[in-house]
Amino acid sequence: MKCPEMYRITQQNIRKPILNEENMVMGEYHLLIETQGFCECYKEKCAAWDKEKQMCRKEGNQ
């Protein structure tokens, strides 16, 4: 189940140099990958975990 209160953004920067015939750096390729989404609910570690009902609360029910 996805946790409605824990949102994660992960970014990966991948860089690779652009070389000419003499192996001199002339620039670089740059790729940015960003992944966004709600985290999985891991019981006691989750902010939305309801200890009494032993389940993750839905968004808006607090």
Side-chain angles (χ1 to χ4, degrees):
M1 173 177 232
K2 299 290 181 182
C3 176
E5 296 184 17
M6 294 180 69
Y7 194 74
R8 176 184 296 160
I9 299 173
T10 305
Q11 290 184 340
Q12 297 174 332
N13 281 303
I14 300 170
R15 297 176 185 265
K16 183 178 179 183
I18 300 172
L19 305 174
N20 64 9
E21 293 85 26
E22 292 90 34
N23 281 337
M24 294 178 61
V25 176
M26 302 302 291
E28 71 176 4
Y29 295 107
H30 181 212
L31 177 65
L32 172 65
I33 302 170
E34 184 173 281
T35 307
Q36 298 184 11
F38 289 100
C39 300
E40 293 293 326
C41 188
Y42 291 106
K43 297 188 179 182
E44 289 81 19
K45 295 179 185 176
C46 180
W49 183 252
D50 189 340
K51 293 176 186 168
E52 294 174 8
K53 296 180 182 176
Q54 293 294 304
M55 61 183 284
C56 193
R57 293 189 299 259
K58 293 183 180 178
E59 196 169 0
N61 296 341
Q62 295 182 1

